[in-house]
Amino acid sequence: MAEREKIVDELRLKYEGLFDVNELYLTMDKWFREKQYDKRELKNIEYVKPEGKFIELWIMPWKKITDYAKIEIKIRIQMFDIKEVEVEKDKHKVKLNQGRIQMVFDGYLTTDYENKWEGKPTYVFLRTIFDKFIYKGYTARFQSQVAEDVNHIHTTIKSFLNLYRF
Amino acid sequence: MTDYNLPQEILKFKGIFDMDLLYRSMRDWLTRRGYYFEEPVYKNKPNPMGGVEDEITWNCWRKETDYMKFWINIFIHTQEFNTIEVIKDGKKKKMNKARLAIYFNAKVETDYQHRWDKTPFLIWLNNIYEKYIIKPEMDNIYTDKLYYYVLKLHNIAKECLGMEAKGSEYEDVW
């Protein structure tokens, strides 16, 4: 089996106020496309409730860095009490959503995703030696790339949500 | 014969929607894309909690090449399904209110004509062919293509349900 290392563990983001759910979704999609990630949407749940909509999304885009390593970013999003409101912006009426968001970001570095080094215990041993000592510089660089990407998407979403504050 | 399974996609919704529109839009998309459409299961039973419970299974396939076949298997489960009348744009319209779950499963099936499993030598040769010769195409073209097809279908379902988190920046992929 491929080895999956958690580099970013539960980086959180909370927001309450005005925003556009669809725009937020498309902003994330756009970011992943620009950064050459492949899309993977595990869950998309929407319940219409009297107090507003409840939306839950689990997305897990991934990107191959080399034939040996790939990055996976897991984002769990929960939105509560989402209501549609009309606000006036630059003398124009705009439809937006109001509610609460909770987001959890995890970043993973998966190595040997093609399971080439898993056939025999000798291979596993060699792979570990290879990862820890010979390939150490590259592994560290991959790990920092995971952290960088997760922080970047986190900042992008934070900036996107901050736009609605003013 | 090998199956390359893709990750499952789950869509859940509770609210008011048009089941007829959802059913037709998804089926039309599949048939327009050249998928053979089968509906082996259509269960409809009254639910003691109220409304009706439906279980629908679709098995859809398309011959991609002489060696590969794309499968899209969909399971639709509705609970507390009721028909209600709503006023939309000043007109009365029949809609449905229910809890809905759609599970999308897809896979690429190879050697669907069973040409390579007749003798031990052919099985061995097929193994070599899949492991070393066709592997890059399988990983980078065929499974990828099928996955983005499923995402497009997934997006059509979201549009029909009027969900908030819909749309895709990957529309032009495949």
Side-chain angles (χ1 to χ4, degrees), chain A residues 67-83:
Chain A
D67 281 347
Y68 179 68
K70 72 174 179 183
I71 303 175
E72 286 175 300
I73 299 176
K74 186 173 180 182
I75 308 179
R76 286 168 285 165
I77 309 166
Q78 285 188 320
M79 302 183 206
F80 305 91
D81 309 334
I82 303 293
K83 286 176 195 138

Side-chain angles (χ1 to χ4, degrees), chain A residues 1 5 14 26 46 49 51 93 133 140 164-165:
Chain A
M1 250 178 80
E5 193 184 351
K14 279 184 185 178
L26 291 175
E46 188 170 317
K49 293 181 173 185
E51 64 271 20
K93 279 187 177 174
F133 304 105
Y164 290 96
R165 286 204 170 154

